[in-house]
């Protein structure tokens, strides 16, 4: 794991990351990134799906129907994550951020209902993705 230091506020310099960003052979240089031998991936969802496919294929879903549901919930969680994180980095509108959370999270909770995990009885990559978002919120 590589940690890039940010400079102090208010500018939060990205000098350390920008020094490496275009030298790593990434197709779409960004954070986070994942390198596994010759495989170089950016984008959090792509990284999580790759890790699941390589080391725990059942985490993608056990049947075509379950995989579709996992991907559907992944899109919903990704939408929520976009709403939450953009509010933190762009306009810093805390009331608007809280409103987005209170609009979207109850829908996910309702979908979860009495399921053991987001999509059912089986742990999937989207459970980790959602947990990471909950930890962030």
């Amino acid at each position: 794991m590589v940690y890039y230091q940010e400079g102090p506020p208010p500018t939060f310099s990205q000098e350390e990351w920008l020094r490496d960003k275009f030298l790593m052979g990434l197709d779409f240089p960004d954070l986070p990134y994942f390198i596994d031998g010759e495989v170089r991936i950016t984008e959090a969802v792509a990284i999580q799906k790759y890790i699941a496919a390589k080391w725990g294929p059942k985490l993608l879903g056990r049947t075509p129907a379950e995989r579709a549901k996992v991907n559907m919930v992944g899109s919903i969680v990704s939408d929520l994550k976009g709403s939450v994180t953009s509010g933190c980095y762009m306009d810093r509108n805390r009331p608007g951020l809280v409103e987005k959370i209170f609009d979207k999270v109850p829908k996910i909770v309702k979908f979860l209902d009495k399921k053991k995990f987001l999509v059912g009885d089986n742990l999937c990559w989207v459970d980790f993705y959602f947990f990471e978002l909950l930890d962030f919120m």
Side-chain angles (χ1 to χ4, degrees):
M1 173 112 33
V2 176
Y3 292 97
Y4 292 98
Q5 296 295 316
E6 284 186 320
T11 59
F12 298 102
S13 170
Q14 298 177 356
E15 182 181 338
E16 217 177 286
W17 160 239
L18 294 174
R19 184 179 56 236
D20 294 344
K21 182 176 181 175
F22 297 105
L23 303 175
M24 304 175 72
L26 300 169
D27 293 322
F28 301 96
D30 203 357
L31 295 172
Y33 64 85
F34 183 79
I35 299 174
D36 179 33
E38 296 299 312
V39 176
R40 295 167 184 273
I41 307 169
T42 55
E43 299 304 319
V45 171
I47 292 167
Q48 290 186 17
K49 286 183 173 184
Y50 174 81
I51 290 169
K54 183 165 182 177
W55 289 290
K58 291 179 181 178
L59 293 171
L60 294 171
R62 295 166 191 252
T63 66
E66 188 176 73
R67 282 190 294 277
K69 208 165 253 201
V70 168
N71 288 328
M72 175 186 74
V73 173
S75 293
I76 300 300
V77 172
S78 187
D79 180 47
L80 173 61
K81 183 176 183 182
S83 295
V84 170
T85 57
S86 69
C88 292
Y89 300 116
M90 303 297 180
D91 58 11
R92 300 180 190 262
N93 177 1
R94 185 172 173 83
L97 172 64
V98 171
E99 182 179 328
K100 289 175 186 177
I101 291 171
F102 281 112
D103 175 55
K104 295 175 185 281
V105 171
K107 294 172 186 171
I108 297 171
V109 171
K110 182 179 179 189
F111 177 79
L112 176 61
D113 193 34
K114 292 181 169 70
K115 295 182 199 83
K116 188 174 180 180
F117 299 103
L118 277 174
V119 179
D121 290 334
N122 300 315
L123 182 67
C124 298
W125 70 268
V126 76
D127 294 297
F128 294 101
Y129 189 44
F130 188 52
F131 179 80
E132 175 192 22
L133 177 57
L134 291 174
D135 185 54
F136 178 82
M137 292 191 300

